[in-house]
Amino acid sequence: MLSHKLMLPDGILVLEPQAPLEAADFAAVSREIDPYIAKYGKLRGLLLHTQEFPGWVNLEAVLAHMRFIETHHQQIERLAVVSDNALLVELPKIIGHLVHPEVKHFAESAYDDGLQWLKG
């Protein structure tokens, strides 16, 4: 399950994975953000907030996640990863050169800093 919220008028998407991700999660997020992107051309930022990455329920979900990234990463200016999880702390180093958004990590206690950076 992927909880999501589009913060208006800032154009910031907050994603909070709470259980293994399903293909339908990415379809639901796309339905919410695609009209905004069509109107404004991009999202200012995406804030990924989680204690740990819960994984995916099946291969279909993995592929849906990859398609979501491929389809949307060019329309996102910044990605803030807010977590104290060791893997997620390293995520900006791993994907920073592979995707369009500028990617930065913030500790769990610095959630508000991550949000302000996205608004920057």
Side-chain angles (χ1 to χ4, degrees):
M1 181 181 145
L2 182 60
S3 172
H4 65 278
K5 175 182 164 187
L6 181 57
M7 297 175 61
L8 299 173
D10 297 313
I12 294 173
L13 175 65
V14 178
L15 297 179
E16 295 180 322
Q18 299 171 349
L21 304 176
E22 301 179 27
D25 293 329
F26 300 100
V29 173
S30 292
R31 280 192 303 275
E32 181 156 358
I33 67 169
D34 287 352
Y36 182 91
I37 292 171
K39 184 173 182 177
Y40 296 103
K42 63 183 174 185
L43 290 175
R44 177 178 277 173
L46 188 153
L47 189 144
L48 174 61
H49 177 228
T50 187
Q51 291 183 1
E52 64 182 7
F53 181 68
W56 303 272
V57 296
N58 55 28
L59 181 58
E60 179 186 5
V62 173
L63 295 174
H65 191 174
M66 296 303 116
R67 281 191 300 272
F68 178 84
I69 292 169
E70 179 182 12
T71 304
H72 293 94
H73 80 98
Q74 292 289 341
Q75 289 95 22
I76 301 170
E77 289 182 5
R78 291 181 167 183
L79 167 60
V81 179
V82 179
S83 181
D84 291 334
N85 177 271
L87 173 66
L88 295 172
V89 166
E90 298 300 318
L91 188 64
K93 296 174 191 169
I94 297 167
I95 69 165
H97 301 288
L98 302 174
V99 295
H100 172 73
E102 181 180 357
V103 185
K104 189 171 180 180
H105 169 261
F106 295 87
E108 184 75 29
S109 61
Y111 180 97
D112 291 337
D113 294 338
L115 193 55
Q116 287 306 313
W117 179 72
L118 292 175
K119 291 179 180 181

